[in-house]
Amino acid sequence: MHKFPCYICEWDSRARDKHWTQRQWPLRNNLIVGDKNILRNNLVDPKNILLPPLHIKLGLMKQFVKALDKNKNCFQYLCKKFPQLSEAKLKEGIFVGPQIRKLCKDNAFLNSMTTIEKNAWISFKEVINNFFGNIKSENYETIVNSMLENYRILGCNMSIKMHFLYSHLDKFPENLGDVSEEQGERFHQDIKEMERRYQGRWRVTMMADYCWMLQRKTHHVYKRKSTKRSFFSKRQRYSSNTK
């Protein structure tokens, strides 16, 4: 785990005793390669970086599931709801957008929770509807802070995505619907299909197959000039020279 993963401030991901008490961290004055987890020069200006709502939503779902008691009804319901997911993915809370939307409409999932879990889940859905969409509510700061407080009570750890909501809420654009998530959503769906084909076994060839699948989806026509010479081509060239 990187110690300084935030590109805006010097948030210490390992100082867990300060995560839920300290909002303001020293700002990064410059991004020097080799200093505090900076590996390469930036390709774009940090001011032009847009925080992706889809990946933050997936990160919030991940922290919610990881904080659940694995022996209680709520987590057991997830195992029955998604039997195709591996045990490792369920424990780590790795879900995609359609699965989260399906759970948001499932009243049985809500009824399987305790009071603390229910408060965190309801506040999470309010953030999805009132902050991550095309319409941002006027009291979005209250809604986000309420969700973070419920997550803290649930026992969730502060991840980098939750840190953005906790300390850099003003860095999000006014309309998060302007940030296209189609490409990111398609990536998660395609990788899910690849994992189904490989039956949950991770291999290096999975990424190669994914790249070839993207190339086959393009509309470009690639032609290769053959280096082989046939008898017909030689005969045709000989006849044209004799004329």
Side-chain angles (χ1 to χ4, degrees):
M1 182 172 61
H2 295 302
K3 189 174 182 180
F4 302 103
C6 183
Y7 72 97
I8 301 175
C9 66
E10 297 180 0
W11 173 65
D12 189 352
S13 63
R14 301 177 185 177
R16 295 190 175 182
D17 56 331
K18 300 180 181 179
H19 283 178
W20 294 107
T21 58
Q22 182 176 343
R23 285 182 180 268
Q24 302 298 328
W25 297 81
L27 297 177
R28 286 184 182 265
N29 296 324
N30 45 27
L31 300 174
I32 302 175
V33 178
D35 183 30
K36 296 183 178 179
N37 302 128
I38 306 300
L39 301 179
R40 300 176 182 86
N41 292 322
N42 288 339
L43 298 177
V44 297
D45 190 343
K47 297 180 181 179
N48 298 328
I49 295 178
L50 296 177
L51 299 176
L54 171 65
H55 294 283
I56 294 179
K57 180 174 69 175
L58 298 180
L60 293 175
M61 181 66 186
K62 179 179 181 179
Q63 295 301 323
F64 174 81
V65 176
K66 290 178 69 173
L68 296 176
D69 190 340
K70 303 304 182 290
N71 298 321
K72 293 295 182 63
N73 296 333
C74 186
F75 183 78
Q76 295 300 323
Y77 182 85
L78 289 175
C79 298
K80 296 178 182 178
K81 183 74 173 180
F82 304 104
Q84 73 279 8
L85 290 180
S86 63
E87 182 180 358
K89 275 196 167 185
L90 286 169
K91 288 184 177 180
E92 291 298 321
I94 300 177
F95 292 84
V96 294
Q99 294 171 336
I100 297 177
R101 289 192 290 269
K102 186 181 296 185
L103 288 174
C104 289
K105 300 177 182 179
D106 193 349
N107 292 327
F109 178 58
L110 186 65
N111 295 331
S112 65
M113 302 178 184
T114 62
T115 303
I116 296 177
E117 296 168 349
K118 187 177 297 185
N119 293 335
W121 180 253
I122 292 176
S123 61
F124 171 61
K125 292 197 300 182
E126 290 181 352
V127 170
I128 294 177
N129 297 327
N130 299 299
F131 181 70
F132 286 136
N134 292 328
I135 301 175
K136 184 187 292 185
S137 300
E138 296 181 357
N139 60 336
Y140 72 90
E141 294 184 5
T142 304
I143 295 175
V144 172
N145 290 329
S146 176
M147 182 207 67
L148 293 173
E149 178 62 21
N150 289 326
Y151 267 50
R152 185 191 65 81
I153 297 175
L154 182 61
C156 298
N157 292 326
M158 177 72 72
S159 64
I160 179 62
K161 298 171 183 177
M162 294 178 64
H163 163 72
F164 286 135
L165 293 173
Y166 190 71
S167 300
H168 306 298
L169 193 59
D170 56 330
K171 299 297 181 180
F172 288 86
E174 288 298 325
N175 185 5
L176 291 178
D178 291 340
V179 183
S180 176
E181 298 288 34
E182 180 181 358
Q183 193 171 11
E185 187 75 39
R186 285 182 58 188
F187 173 78
H188 285 280
Q189 294 299 314
D190 292 340
I191 290 298
K192 179 183 176 182
E193 178 63 21
M194 282 294 171
E195 290 179 348
R196 186 189 65 81
R197 294 179 186 177
Y198 282 83
Q199 299 179 353
R201 299 176 182 176
W202 174 257
R203 297 179 183 175
V204 180
T205 53
M206 283 179 58
M207 189 56 65
D209 288 348
Y210 174 70
C211 294
W212 276 111
M213 181 184 66
L214 293 179
Q215 185 173 355
R216 288 195 296 268
K217 286 184 178 180
T218 59
H219 300 288
H220 300 286
V221 179
Y222 298 93
K223 295 183 179 179
R224 293 183 178 180
K225 186 177 181 181
S226 177
T227 57
K228 297 181 180 179
R229 295 183 178 182
S230 63
F231 174 77
F232 178 77
S233 61
K234 291 182 179 180
R235 184 178 179 181
Q236 187 179 24
R237 187 171 61 254
Y238 175 77
S239 61
S240 63
N241 292 334
T242 54
K243 291 179 181 179

